[in-house]
Amino acid sequence: MCKRPMPLQQAAEPNLTEHTLERLRKMILCGDLAAGTPLQERTFAERLGVSRTPLREAITRLITEGLVTRNTRGTPTVSRISVSEIVEILHVRRLLECEAARQAASVNSAPEDWLNFKATIEEFVTNERPNAVAHADFDFDLHMHIAKTAGSKLLAELIQGLKLKTRIFDQGEIPSRFQPGALEHIEIIDAILARDPDAAEAAMRQHIENAREAILAHIHRLS
């Protein structure tokens, strides 16, 4: 009996690829890998203790997310996000997330989840402020919960991709936004709990507008 030839390259185990993806994504979002850093396969496979296959698959996912691009030589490189791209991303986020907040306030969702988010915010404000990574994780989880509650898988996926691209600015880069951002999040949650779509949309719009102004001011200070 003839045996089937082995494939030239086997796919990595899903769990290993996901683990590698999460580690690389966190390194980018936390600033451990600066914009423009080349992701050489051999170097990072050794650094992460994995073979090249899961690393290659993880990098492909990061390219899809926009966190990594290929330079003129084809080398995957941590993306640089220009001011014009930030403006465009935040503009689209405002359109999508305002709609998500409106829809989230229009459905009959479990109040316990929203109350838990609100309690965590109040804990952040009244007690010791969380570190930058913990705060960014919470911010991401809250925005994604709103998007998923809206009930559209496509809407949630679009918001997730755009949020990842701007998340680096939530890593403690703009400490002056912590307190105002927390109060804005509470306002959004209260509107959703009250099932007031207009108020939820308005609160989200104000939140993203304020974040946009703070990010642009931060970028200009650095330039």
Side-chain angles (χ1 to χ4, degrees):
M1 180 183 294
C2 295
K3 294 183 179 180
R4 293 183 180 180
M6 292 293 291
L8 294 178
Q9 180 178 334
Q10 294 182 330
E13 295 181 14
N15 289 343
L16 184 55
T17 296
E18 289 295 327
H19 181 64
T20 305
L21 173 65
E22 286 299 319
R23 291 180 67 186
L24 277 175
R25 185 191 286 133
K26 182 172 290 187
M27 291 167 73
I28 293 172
L29 295 176
C30 291
D32 292 337
L33 298 178
T37 300
L39 302 180
Q40 300 286 355
E41 285 187 8
R42 180 176 179 180
T43 300
F44 278 87
E46 293 177 354
R47 181 172 177 178
L48 299 177
V50 298
S51 68
R52 294 193 184 189
T53 300
L55 177 68
R56 189 177 296 118
E57 292 176 0
I59 289 174
T60 298
R61 294 272 298 277
L62 291 171
I63 291 173
T64 301
E65 293 176 359
L67 294 178
V68 172
T69 54
R70 293 193 181 277
N71 62 21
T72 54
R73 296 182 178 180
T75 303
T77 306
V78 178
S79 298
R80 297 182 186 275
I81 302 179
S82 66
V83 175
S84 61
E85 287 175 309
I86 286 291
V87 171
E88 184 176 9
I89 289 169
L90 289 170
H91 173 68
V92 177
R93 271 189 58 193
R94 182 180 61 186
L95 296 174
L96 296 179
E97 294 201 56
C98 285
E99 178 61 20
R102 167 173 282 279
Q103 293 301 322
S106 302
V107 302
N108 185 18
S109 58
E112 293 81 7
D113 293 335
W114 303 111
L115 291 173
N116 287 336
F117 276 116
K118 186 174 178 179
T120 301
I121 296 171
E122 291 172 343
E123 180 75 13
F124 286 166
V125 172
T126 57
N127 296 310
E128 186 176 355
R129 182 179 299 192
N131 63 45
V133 175
H135 178 247
D137 286 343
F138 174 83
D139 177 83
F140 186 81
D141 289 344
L142 173 58
H143 280 260
M144 288 312 303
H145 187 67
I146 294 170
K148 291 174 182 177
T149 302
S152 169
K153 182 179 179 182
L154 177 59
L155 181 62
E157 288 175 349
L158 291 171
I159 289 173
Q160 178 178 350
L162 294 172
K163 191 84 172 80
L164 281 171
K165 290 183 180 180
T166 55
R167 182 174 164 173
I168 194 169
F169 295 101
D170 298 325
Q171 299 291 334
E173 293 288 340
I174 313 174
S176 62
R177 276 292 298 157
F178 178 80
Q179 183 85 6
L183 298 179
E184 290 158 13
H185 279 155
I186 289 176
E187 188 174 353
I188 294 168
I189 291 171
D190 284 343
I192 292 173
L193 284 169
R195 297 186 188 175
D196 188 335
D198 290 338
E201 179 181 356
M204 181 63 80
R205 178 178 294 107
Q206 189 62 58
H207 174 62
I208 294 181
E209 275 296 317
N210 290 344
R212 173 183 178 276
E213 293 302 319
I215 288 172
L216 291 179
H218 175 72
I219 291 173
H220 289 311
R221 283 196 297 271
L222 295 177
S223 60

